[in-house]
Amino acid sequence: MKYHQIDRHLFIKNRSKFTAQMKPKSVAIFNSNDIYPVSADSTLPFAQHRDIFYLSGIDQEESILLLFPDAPYENQKEILFLKETSELIAIWEGAKLTKEEAFAVSGIKTVYWLQDFEKVLAELMTYSETIYINTNEHYRAKIETETREARFVKWWKEKYPAHAVAKSNLILQRLRSVKESEEIDLIQQACNITELGFRRLLSFVKPNVMEYEIEAELIHEFIRNRSKGFAYTPIIASGNNANVLHYIENNQQCKEGDLILLDVAAEYANYSSDLTRTIPVSGRYSSRQKDVYNAVLRVKNEAAKMLTPGTLWKNYQYEVGKIMTSELLGLGLLDKTDVQNENPDWPAYKKYFMHGTSHHMGLDTHDYGLLYEPMQTNMVFTVEPGIYIPEEGFGIRIEDDVVIQEKGEPFNLMKNIPIEVEEIESLMNS
Ligand SMILES: [Mn+2]
């Protein structure tokens, strides 16, 4: 891992919050992700399943975490099963966690090698009545592959058909959406690395630069600061590419007079950040670009103020829509009759701002969180309004990440990342 080891007390806390929600005499199991093959013997880089990471800090393939708070013996209450390692295996296969290292990372004392899993589980199943399976119920998930977790769930339910089945997902959705202070610090670190990348590209961007050259500047800055890289596929969209919401080709030349929409951010220790800025290729916004930019910025600032404990996501989205509507009227993009005749299911503003304003962010960029429940202190949300105008050849989105506070406005984790027109122009021209 490139990141500094995380204090294991975070994972100890996370486990105790999870087990407090489990039914009596129940076992929960969490699996690592597979390493995905490309072809022949090449593979995609490993990305840990966020749930086993959240509960243990174990960032290694072929790992299993078992939680059994009512186990009859103390050493059965939490168990890790890891890929076997030894000095000899390490020489051939590379270093993997030893049992001592696994304890240091996770705080879990009972660690077995993976080959003992079925035998150890068989005993625990005789003491238990319910199994907690971990299904993926994220509102945006669309999964075509069978994950290691899904494969395991199938096997487990078939092997032990007399056990009742319960869901881990609902517990995790609630727990993971409210961040511990250690987690906020890690997200802040991801944001700080993103800031370094953004400042670096401000002095790099010039007319005729290729979008992928900007991508290369960012990845260089991210990795040299202990990030694994981008938290999500970067969008570096000049001119009208900004009006393709999921443009990820990043292969066009940035032309003088155009804007570049940059939805680019670093991960750190598996925690995301999520930034969008829109900057002028030539270092100066035109007056029209500036007007639209400042309209988006005002919507962002007003929207953020509404992220307070008790707010319902749906009402928030509705209120942001009203603010956006008035800005679009001011820019002459909508007129009064557009608004009077609008379809309440698809209001007029959606012509120029067609996506949501905010999502939870944390271990996943689009993190866990139940959008139908009121917002709470220490939830982390993005705020990312945009105005997209294909007829004028540009699209503008501005995005920050904020933490909901008990009182007052949310804390902006990106408050140091240049955002005002004057600051961006002066940094680009210095
Ligand atoms: Mn976002």
Side-chain angles (χ1 to χ4, degrees):
M1 303 316 136
K2 297 184 180 82
Y3 56 88
H4 294 291
Q5 193 169 316
I6 299 168
D7 183 342
R8 64 174 172 262
H9 290 100
L10 171 62
F11 308 115
I12 294 170
K13 251 190 292 186
N14 290 346
R15 284 197 297 280
S16 78
K17 286 189 289 185
F18 185 90
T19 53
Q21 308 270 322
M22 289 172 72
K23 298 177 181 171
K25 291 194 175 178
S26 60
V27 177
I29 291 183
F30 303 90
N31 282 270
S32 281
N33 275 329
D34 281 321
I35 294 183
Y36 288 92
V38 176
S39 184
D41 68 341
S42 54
T43 58
L44 296 177
F46 174 64
Q48 182 58 300
H49 194 295
R50 300 308 196 237
D51 293 333
I52 189 172
F53 185 81
Y54 177 77
L55 294 167
S56 70
I58 297 295
D59 200 352
Q60 184 170 291
E61 73 280 9
E62 295 181 48
S63 309
I64 300 176
L65 168 67
L66 184 153
L67 301 175
F68 186 7
D70 295 339
Y73 303 103
E74 199 54 37
N75 66 348
Q76 295 171 326
K77 291 184 191 292
E78 35 183 39
I79 309 177
L80 276 174
F81 298 88
L82 303 178
K83 209 175 148 149
E84 184 174 4
T85 192
S86 65
E87 279 177 40
L88 181 72
I89 296 173
I91 291 169
W92 287 90
E93 296 184 19
K96 299 288 164 197
L97 292 170
T98 63
K99 293 180 180 183
E100 296 70 33
E101 288 166 342
F103 167 74
V105 168
S106 66
I108 296 173
K109 293 192 189 96
T110 310
V111 184
Y112 293 108
W113 299 132
L114 201 54
Q115 54 266 34
D116 297 323
F117 175 69
E118 287 198 29
K119 202 178 99 216
V120 174
L121 179 67
E123 183 191 336
L124 300 180
M125 293 305 279
T126 66
Y127 305 143
S128 62
E129 287 167 6
T130 300
I131 61 173
Y132 273 84
I133 61 168
N134 193 22
T135 47
N136 184 343
E137 296 178 20
H138 191 271
Y139 67 114
R140 297 196 193 208
K142 210 181 96 208
I143 291 149
E144 303 239 13
T145 188
E146 187 176 52
T147 60
R148 193 177 183 87
E149 192 80 88
R151 228 163 44 233
F152 171 76
V153 164
K154 231 195 234 175
W155 174 86
W156 199 18
K157 284 173 66 186
E158 203 179 292
K159 178 98 177 167
Y160 296 98
H163 281 70
V165 176
K167 285 182 1 177
S168 295
N169 185 260
L170 197 59
I171 303 176
L172 286 166
Q173 290 263 7
R174 290 211 175 91
L175 293 182
R176 277 184 46 188
S177 64
V178 178
K179 273 67 179 174
E180 293 289 339
S181 63
E182 295 92 331
E183 294 186 281
I184 292 170
D185 290 346
L186 291 164
I187 296 170
Q188 180 71 71
Q189 252 175 294
C191 292
N192 294 350
I193 298 171
T194 298
E195 178 186 352
L196 293 170
F198 182 65
R199 287 185 182 273
R200 178 178 173 129
L201 71 81
L202 282 179
S203 53
F204 174 80
V205 168
K206 297 278 173 311
N208 299 327
V209 70
M210 299 299 288
E211 291 165 350
Y212 53 73
E213 292 181 88
I214 300 172
E215 184 175 337
E217 288 297 303
L218 287 165
I219 196 77
H220 184 134
E221 196 62 32
F222 292 172
I223 292 177
R224 72 195 286 261
N225 285 289
R226 293 182 175 269
S227 164
K228 210 153 60 173
F230 290 100
Y232 50 89
T233 311
I235 297 170
I236 300 173
S238 62
N240 247 327
N241 297 334
N243 295 313
V244 179
L245 291 182
H246 290 119
Y247 173 82
I248 50 171
E249 297 293 326
N250 304 347
N251 62 0
Q252 299 299 304
Q253 196 167 45
C254 302
K255 300 272 162 49
E256 172 127 44
D258 276 350
L259 295 180
I260 317 171
L261 184 154
L262 302 141
D263 190 340
V264 292
E267 71 84 59
Y268 178 75
N270 291 326
Y271 281 85
S272 279
S273 60
D274 190 355
L275 173 85
T276 309
R277 292 289 185 267
T278 307
I279 65 168
V281 174
S282 44
R284 298 266 174 229
Y285 296 86
S286 72
S287 83
R288 173 65 173 172
Q289 289 166 348
K290 202 186 293 187
D291 289 345
V292 179
Y293 187 97
N294 284 328
V296 176
L297 185 54
R298 283 191 294 272
V299 177
K300 188 200 77 81
N301 291 337
E302 288 307 305
K305 288 182 195 160
M306 292 189 271
L307 295 173
T308 53
T311 297
L312 281 168
W313 190 85
K314 211 172 164 183
N315 296 349
Y316 163 74
Q317 187 61 35
Y318 178 76
E319 293 302 323
V320 175
K322 289 204 288 198
I323 301 168
M324 181 58 91
T325 300
S326 88
E327 291 292 350
L328 291 170
L329 287 167
L331 291 166
L333 289 166
L334 292 181
D335 62 36
K336 278 190 187 142
T337 53
D338 294 325
V339 179
Q340 275 156 8
N341 301 331
E342 74 181 8
N343 169 3
D345 294 329
W346 192 257
Y349 77 82
K350 294 240 182 210
K351 181 178 175 198
Y352 297 100
F353 173 41
M354 59 296 274
H355 56 77
T357 312
S358 293
H359 55 80
H360 284 276
M361 201 203 64
L363 280 169
D364 285 290
T365 304
H366 297 152
D367 209 23
Y368 283 3
L370 302 168
L371 293 177
Y372 53 87
E373 293 189 350
M375 295 180 187
Q376 295 177 47
T377 306
N378 291 335
M379 283 183 168
V380 174
F381 278 98
T382 64
V383 195
E384 48 178 312
I387 295 178
Y388 308 93
I389 327 174
E391 312 83 81
E392 299 185 33
F394 66 90
I396 293 174
R397 177 164 67 253
I398 303 175
E399 172 177 32
D400 278 340
D401 305 335
V402 305
V403 190
I404 294 188
Q405 304 294 296
E406 215 175 305
K407 285 204 174 71
E409 287 191 32
F411 180 79
N412 188 347
L413 296 162
M414 296 183 149
K415 63 180 170 27
N416 296 329
I417 304 185
I419 197 166
E420 298 290 337
V421 161
E422 296 70 25
E423 190 180 6
I424 288 172
E425 286 186 345
S426 100
L427 287 166
M428 290 187 80
N429 291 287
S430 63

